[in-house]
Amino acid sequence: MVEMRRPTESDATPSMAALLVAVGARRDVEAFEALFRHFAPRVKAYMARLAGDSHLAEELMQETMVAVWNKADRFDPAKGAASTWIFTIARNLRIDAFRRDNRPDFDPNDPAFVQDDVAPADEMFESQEVSAQLHLAMASLPEEQVALLKLAFFEDRSHSAIATSLNMPLGTVKSRLRLAFAKLRAALDRNGDAS
């Protein structure tokens, strides 16, 4: 006599791979719920064992299951089991979280990131030399041109504001500034050639 086997619950349940394919192909919510009920506790236990933190394990399980929902169309049952695919996602998310958590914080006071308060000696020397040349060149200008240069560049006034404050025509202010620049340039060129 042949023994009749009673159908079990697993006979009526589709395989995990079939459920995953259904989620990927049709965004089947019922299939995803079945996958979630089966894999969520297992993924959480896996994460808790690796991370040693139940809160982090819960977060990583949620991220894993969201990724399963979003990437289910990439699952190929010919390449591997559904469990392998899901746990690979979980492992990769755990590695990303580990890297993110162990990345050193930026310290703005780290000497490598703080600019030196003092310029290098060669830059300071060059700056002092240029400043001395500029003072010599300005000393060779008539006082009215020096006054215009100081108003325009040291006080950052516009040409029209200078004309108004000195009660001069705007064209006169512009032409005197142009003349002062030409004389400064010539004096700086002479001083630069002499050194």
Side-chain angles (χ1 to χ4, degrees):
M1 177 166 162
V2 176
E3 185 178 315
M4 296 286 287
R5 187 172 67 88
R6 281 187 10 192
T8 63
E9 189 178 326
S10 62
D11 291 338
T13 308
S15 73
M16 293 298 151
L19 291 171
L20 199 47
V21 168
V23 171
R26 300 183 306 276
R27 304 298 273 180
D28 188 326
V29 175
E30 287 179 17
F32 181 73
E33 285 176 9
L35 284 170
F36 191 93
R37 279 192 305 274
H38 180 79
F39 283 107
R42 289 166 175 79
V43 169
K44 184 176 177 182
Y46 171 70
M47 292 298 184
R49 192 172 58 247
L50 290 178
D53 177 359
S54 63
H55 179 70
L56 179 60
E58 177 73 25
E59 284 181 28
L60 290 171
M61 178 273 295
Q62 292 290 336
E63 285 182 43
T64 300
M65 297 314 292
V66 167
V68 167
W69 173 260
N70 290 328
K71 298 177 181 182
D73 59 329
R74 299 181 196 167
F75 172 69
D76 182 358
K79 291 184 178 179
S83 59
T84 304
W85 189 78
I86 291 172
F87 277 93
T88 299
I89 290 173
R91 181 185 59 89
N92 291 342
L93 287 171
R94 171 64 190 121
I95 290 169
D96 291 345
F98 177 79
R99 287 180 181 154
R100 187 175 50 247
D101 293 344
N102 290 318
R103 184 172 292 140
D105 291 334
F106 173 74
D107 180 7
N109 297 318
D110 186 333
F113 300 117
V114 177
Q115 275 190 324
D116 293 336
D117 291 339
V118 179
D122 58 335
E123 287 180 19
M124 285 178 54
F125 177 75
E126 188 177 323
S127 176
Q128 289 171 351
E129 194 173 279
V130 168
S131 180
Q133 288 175 354
L134 184 60
H135 279 88
L136 276 172
M138 286 185 74
S140 69
L141 296 177
E143 189 58 39
E144 69 178 15
Q145 290 177 351
V146 171
L148 286 173
L149 286 172
K150 285 181 179 178
L151 288 170
F153 294 98
F154 297 118
E155 294 184 21
D156 200 26
R157 290 196 191 175
S158 68
H159 292 171
S160 58
I162 294 170
T164 303
S165 70
L166 296 178
N167 199 20
M168 289 178 143
L170 181 60
T172 303
V173 170
K174 289 185 177 191
S175 63
R176 287 184 182 171
L177 280 170
R178 246 190 323 272
L179 182 62
F181 275 128
K183 287 181 180 179
L184 266 181
R185 196 173 297 119
L188 288 172
D189 286 344
R190 277 194 309 274
N191 289 341
D193 292 339
S195 53

